[in-house]
Amino acid sequence: MRRPLIGLTAYAQQVKYGHNDMMAGMLPMTYVKAVHATGGRAVLITPDDPGTDVIESLDGIVFTGGNDVDPAHWDEPRHPETDPDETRDEAELPLMRAALAAGLPILGVCRGMQVMAVATGGSLHQHVPDLVGHERHRASTGTDPLAANASDYGRHDVVVEERTVAHEVFGRTLTVNSFHHQAVAEPGEFVPVGWCPDDRIIEIIEHPAHTFALGVQWHPERTTDLRSFEALARAASRTRATASA
Amino acid sequence: MRPIIGITTYVVSASWGVWHDLPSTLVPHDYTEAVRLAGGRPVLLPPDDLDADVLRALDGLVLAGGPDVDPSLYGAARGPFTETRPDRDAGEIALLRAALDRDMPVLGVCRGMQLLTVAAGGTLHQHLPDVLGHEKHRPAPAVYGEHDATFAPGSRIAGLMGEDVTINCFHHQGVADPGSLTVTGWAEDGLPETVEDPGRRFVLGVQWHPEVSRDVRLFGALVAAAAGVEEEPAACADR
């Protein structure tokens, strides 16, 4: 059986490696490995201004984590802690709308989930600590809350609504890692279906009119719990089978 | 829909923003911009040697620059200055062979040209300063060597480059024996700078870095071939 082709949105970012300091199209390998481990073939979709035509060649797409979405997209002034990636916004907001219109299976991870909300008319909380009065959704700068040996800091439970796609994937509860300082306020065309029970921060959204458009606020690609990637691969395989039938 | 051009990538430990030494897949932005400006839609291909199935979504392939090709792939012992990446070799050789099988247009840049050569049964010089006695192909870290190349009259590359034959190099290995490919360009010291396969639709390897100047002559020709557009007669007058 052929592997479904899964697009991963990527950074155009100034990076350093070895003696190099360059502008690169890039993405952490954790996303690539998560796609390959769940039976897909990953390709990176770099930010690209003219169009969304690349959608036609994919069986599924992951909108990956990254910097903040510019609050100008929901008509709000910028919070001092907000650090947007305008290049990715300009590419990914139209790409998200095109992927939804095409019925392409979509997984949104962290920023990717936030792009889902904003692309469909929703909005974000720009700085979660202002809202909930604690920092448990992220860790201090320079530490890695997503490492396998991370402490409880940046790690919490999620409760999932029954009779949803998310419930089929995750069951009633799960424990997740966490590294974000923004969160979905209004989910746009999406529906919130999972929450952090401590503070009601939205952790999962899905699109009610779409076979598979699931957004998660945490980072499954940095864990051994790849159920969200498996679900995407299954949906992408079905799309492929339908398309070639 | 624009032709989709796959670009092979590096895997390195990269740092940016709050992230330090995170294993990442990346390619210099120059490549994606060069493809985009030439009218193609770039996608990046992280190394993966399970199969070459990804080719079904692609119209053309760019083999990007990078570390040395493993000398065992051309039957040589490893030299002291040779630095290889087995994951890239395995993934890219499989991808290249499958692309050649289906006559997909391929542009090889630097390491990519060397990979084309090895896939065609050729061999490489593992450290040019030992062979040529000079460092003009890699003057200093992160400094491109500029020189004029000579191209074979009537070759594809001669048609594409026209009057401006200045090229920018950064490499310490080079093509020794081109295998079944044809050498169509040379540096002043005689080192092969381009290889072509005249028997295929579009197979071109260049030892220099046309992506840095986003050279639309080369990337435009790749995108046109990927779109199935016939070449201008001037580009293939003698073929």
Side-chain angles (χ1 to χ4, degrees):
Chain A
M1 197 184 99
R2 288 179 142 186
R3 292 186 288 168
L5 191 63
I6 307 291
L8 299 168
T9 62
Y11 296 81
Q13 177 76 38
Q14 193 74 24
V15 297
K16 292 181 181 168
Y17 70 94
H19 299 295
N20 302 284
D21 185 347
M22 67 164 71
M23 189 69 166
M26 61 88 58
L27 193 69
M29 276 299 284
T30 46
Y31 289 99
V32 174
K33 288 177 175 171
V35 167
H36 290 174
T38 52
R41 200 325 176 181
V43 298
L44 271 56
I45 310 300
T46 48
D48 184 55
D49 49 307
T52 58
D53 50 358
V54 71
I55 290 288
E56 294 172 39
S57 64
L58 303 175
D59 301 314
I61 187 166
V62 182
F63 286 78
T64 61
N67 286 7
D68 299 328
V69 180
D70 190 332
H73 293 292
W74 65 94
D75 295 326
E76 210 173 79
R78 194 175 290 187
H79 185 284
E81 294 286 332
T82 296
D83 180 17
D85 188 331
E86 288 99 341
T87 305
R88 287 187 63 177
D89 287 350
E90 278 176 33
E92 291 179 2
L93 290 167
L95 199 64
M96 178 64 79
R97 293 183 195 113
L100 286 168
L104 194 69
I106 311 171
L107 175 63
V109 173
C110 196
R111 167 190 161 86
M113 162 171 158
Q114 298 168 2
V115 169
M116 285 174 155
V118 175
T120 58
S123 64
L124 306 180
H125 295 299
Q126 288 194 54
H127 195 55
V128 168
D130 290 351
L131 188 72
V132 298
H134 65 75
E135 295 266 358
R136 284 195 297 279
H137 286 277
R138 61 174 187 169
S140 51
T141 305
T143 65
D144 181 359
L146 309 176
N149 60 353
S151 69
D152 290 336
Y153 204 45
R155 189 167 286 268
H156 60 76
D157 291 340
V158 172
V159 177
V160 184
E161 182 131 314
E162 291 176 348
R163 290 180 296 281
T164 61
V165 171
H167 189 265
E168 288 168 25
V169 176
F170 301 116
R172 187 71 176 123
T173 61
L174 71 160
T175 304
V176 302
N177 59 11
S178 192
F179 188 57
H180 62 105
H181 81 112
Q182 299 204 333
V184 169
E186 295 293 333
E189 292 174 10
F190 284 74
V191 178
V193 294
W195 296 265
C196 176
D198 302 337
D199 51 29
R200 305 296 290 172
I201 291 292
I202 296 174
E203 293 286 337
I204 314 175
I205 60 175
E206 61 186 49
H207 198 292
H210 203 287
T211 314
F212 190 87
L214 181 74
V216 300
Q217 185 56 70
W218 66 94
H219 284 276
E221 82 285 359
R222 307 204 65 181
T223 72
T224 54
D225 181 354
L226 297 179
R227 286 178 289 177
S228 49
F229 281 86
E230 284 164 9
L232 173 70
R234 275 197 304 276
S237 296
R238 282 198 296 273
T239 307
R240 233 190 111 52
T242 312
S244 54
Chain B
M1 183 168 162
R2 294 170 290 170
I4 304 224
I5 309 294
I7 307 173
T8 60
T9 61
Y10 299 63
V11 178
V12 296
S13 283
S15 302
W16 74 101
V18 300
W19 304 106
H20 294 286
D21 287 337
L22 214 53
S24 300
T25 175
L26 64 82
V27 77
H29 186 58
D30 291 333
Y31 285 97
T32 57
E33 275 299 277
V35 168
R36 187 180 71 80
L37 293 169
R41 200 329 168 181
V43 299
L44 307 189
L45 310 174
D48 176 51
D49 61 355
L50 191 59
D51 60 46
D53 194 29
V54 68
L55 291 177
R56 69 181 154 80
L58 306 181
D59 302 303
L61 181 63
V62 174
L63 300 168
D68 302 326
V69 179
D70 191 326
S72 69
L73 292 169
Y74 49 94
R78 178 181 298 258
F81 300 106
T82 298
E83 291 181 24
T84 61
R85 281 299 301 245
D87 54 344
R88 282 194 67 176
D89 285 344
E92 291 177 13
I93 286 270
L95 204 59
L96 172 57
R97 289 194 198 285
L100 293 172
D101 280 349
R102 57 176 76 187
D103 204 12
M104 178 179 283
V106 180
L107 174 63
V109 173
C110 194
R111 164 190 163 84
M113 164 172 167
Q114 297 168 2
L115 207 63
L116 277 170
T117 300
V118 171
T123 61
L124 306 179
H125 295 302
Q126 288 191 53
H127 196 57
L128 289 174
D130 294 347
V131 180
L132 301 172
H134 66 75
E135 296 268 6
K136 286 180 187 165
H137 294 280
R138 188 174 69 172
V143 174
Y144 288 101
E146 274 210 354
H147 44 237
D148 285 352
T150 307
F151 300 114
S155 63
R156 182 192 297 276
I157 191 65
L160 294 176
M161 295 294 281
E163 298 293 306
D164 181 3
V165 297
T166 305
I167 59 175
N168 58 333
C169 285
F170 185 77
H171 59 107
H172 82 115
Q173 298 204 337
V175 170
D177 170 357
S180 62
L181 300 176
T182 306
V183 176
T184 55
W186 299 266
E188 287 141 350
D189 55 22
L191 188 75
E193 289 287 347
T194 55
V195 291
E196 301 182 24
D197 185 344
R200 293 184 197 273
R201 203 146 60 92
F202 186 101
V203 173
L204 174 65
V206 299
Q207 187 57 72
W208 68 95
H209 285 276
E211 78 283 3
V212 172
S213 62
R214 287 106 194 243
D215 191 338
V216 76
R217 294 173 295 180
L218 272 57
F219 285 90
L222 172 72
V223 170
V229 176
E230 293 295 318
E231 284 177 80
E232 296 288 317
C236 53
D238 290 353
R239 291 171 55 220

